Amino acid sequence: MNKTVICPGSFDPVTLGHLDVITRASRMFDHVIVAVLVNSSKTPSFSIDERIELLKETTRALDNIEIVSFNGLLAEYCRQRRVDAIVKGLRAVSDFEYEFQMALTNKKLNPQLETIFLTADSDSMYLSSSMVREVASMGGDISNFVPSCIHNKIVERLNKGINKN
């Protein structure tokens, strides 16, 4: 039986933590949809198209990955795409509280939908896109935080305001 899961997120930008969860999900399931959330209430550093392209470059070696964007309710999108489960990475207890609430809400909206939590790898437990954006915007080294194949693109975008004296 083929199982399809979805890894939703903003991926602004994609980090090694994201890549770890996506890669592990790709080993466990037949088809993994990586869904970039369109959130009109946020001002992202990268456009939807740019985030999709960064994810495609990052996941190029994984043959069972599909990169898409979506807006609206995740539970409804999952119903439309016949997704079996949502896969979410957890870094800390604070992540769990929020993600648990979301899992219960999604289950109410789509009773066939399950949520699977993968704990973050110890090397990326502290890692978040917002932290990457902050470090890069101040000229810090993010080479241990993002996939090397997209490192330069992220640095070019995020540290434009740095005074290079």
Side-chain angles (χ1 to χ4, degrees):
M1 177 188 311
N2 283 346
K3 290 290 182 185
T4 297
V5 297
I6 191 165
C7 293
S10 60
F11 305 103
D12 187 38
V14 62
T15 69
L16 289 173
H18 293 132
L19 181 57
D20 174 57
V21 169
I22 293 166
T23 301
R24 289 163 56 201
S26 76
R27 287 189 216 126
M28 292 187 284
F29 300 100
D30 302 300
H31 184 69
V32 178
I33 300 169
V34 180
V36 182
L37 173 63
V38 177
N39 187 343
S40 59
S41 68
K42 290 187 177 183
T43 305
S45 297
F46 295 88
S47 71
I48 287 289
D49 290 339
E50 289 170 326
R51 287 181 272 162
I52 288 172
E53 188 55 38
L54 292 174
L55 280 160
K56 284 181 178 179
E57 285 183 52
T58 301
T59 61
R60 189 163 300 185
L62 305 173
D63 61 1
N64 60 339
I65 302 292
E66 176 186 1
I67 313 291
V68 301
S69 66
F70 82 99
N71 58 30
L73 292 172
L74 178 59
E76 185 55 34
Y77 183 77
C78 290
R79 184 186 333 273
Q80 292 168 5
R81 293 295 311 269
R82 299 178 192 254
V83 169
D84 298 294
I86 299 167
V87 174
K88 295 294 291 189
L90 295 179
R91 296 170 297 192
V93 173
S94 58
D95 282 350
F96 178 76
E97 291 173 20
Y98 174 76
E99 295 298 347
F100 185 69
Q101 183 179 29
M102 291 302 300
L104 292 174
T105 302
N106 285 325
K107 187 76 168 167
K108 281 289 189 193
L109 295 171
N110 181 345
Q112 289 74 41
L113 190 60
E114 298 294 338
T115 300
I116 298 167
F117 298 115
L118 295 179
T119 56
D121 181 82
S122 62
D123 290 339
S124 59
M125 288 192 96
Y126 61 90
L127 198 51
S128 68
S129 292
S130 58
M131 188 271 304
V132 169
R133 288 191 308 270
E134 185 172 344
V135 171
S137 70
M138 294 185 204
D141 180 11
I142 60 167
S143 59
N144 291 316
F145 307 151
V146 299
S148 59
C149 62
I150 61 171
H151 174 269
N152 291 343
K153 290 179 182 180
I154 294 170
V155 169
E156 286 172 21
R157 169 64 52 86
L158 297 177
N159 75 2
K160 286 185 177 195
I162 300 297
N163 184 0
K164 310 257 188 210
N165 290 339

